[in-house]
Amino acid sequence: MKKIPDKNIMLFKSCLVSGEYPGVESSTKYVFDKVGINYLVDDRQSCCTGLGHYSDVFDQFSTTVIGARNFHLANETNHTNIAMMCATCYAIHKKVAKLLNNNEKVRLDVNDVFKDAKLEKMKYEKDSIDSSLNIFHVVELLYNKRDEIAKHVKFNLSKFRIATHHACHYCKVQYEDTIEGFRDPKILDELIKSCGIEPIGWYNNKRATCGAGFRQRFVNRDLSLKVTADKLLTLKDENTDILVHMCPNCQMQFDRYQPFIAKDLNSEFNIFHLNIVQLIAFVMGADPYKVVGIQTHTVPIEPLIEKIETISHETKKEKVVENVYTD
């Protein structure tokens, strides 16, 4: 398995995380601090262009120039291990690194752009960022800290049925670097296990896309939501309580549209949606609002918290009774 670092990390900000679920970023920082991952957030960083790129607004060359600029910042600050909170940022930058390292013409053309802009200091040197050795998804860093995560768990969610949704841009684009498989992806499942929870594992449609497809959500809305609905119906059949995500675009597709799909199908989906770092931060005892950011969710998380608190209270009462009889 590839070597996973825990220092010299550039935590790459995501436009969808910042705009839709900022609790994902605060949760990531919270968990990183708990398990001993050293990181830097550089406010000079640029967007990966993912939404525009996959909607044919940004061409590959423009995206590559912007990626090379981000790589310069990582090298300049000696934080060359770049960790992505978004699977699209992950896939975009891995492709950019491969283009810059393996295609001399692309590299020279990118450096000409920097030269013309009088930004020669940003010149990209071949192999200064390696696609496989320097670019990671946040879940990979946390996978390497599973034992540390287990030490900080305060809440028991083992009575909930939890399923995982693995992002396409992690499992299906750069699949040769995927940890814990891509045909039956399990990296999120393993992280959930580190929290003392046994996820439901394989289910029909586990590998199915969320349905967003970037522009498909807007230009083919009916088809997009049908794909989302199919997966939600499968999860309902599995009596799923929580669906865990690793990409803000996937989370947005399910969380924002679940109420509309329920109304359209005249059905009910009692499924809560959390990013994996939100789940881990919560079971570690993070504040649901100040850290986890549940106030930004469309499907309210408060009922889930009430259930957890009720179960926790009942468990404590059971332990008190047990101790009385034991003594």
Side-chain angles (χ1 to χ4, degrees), residues 319-327:
K319 286 185 177 179
V320 169
V321 173
E322 183 182 320
N323 289 338
V324 169
Y325 281 102
T326 302
D327 293 341

Side-chain angles (χ1 to χ4, degrees), residues 261-272:
I261 292 170
K263 184 177 180 180
D264 186 56
L265 297 180
N266 194 26
S267 184
E268 195 171 326
F269 299 105
N270 297 311
I271 303 171
F272 302 101

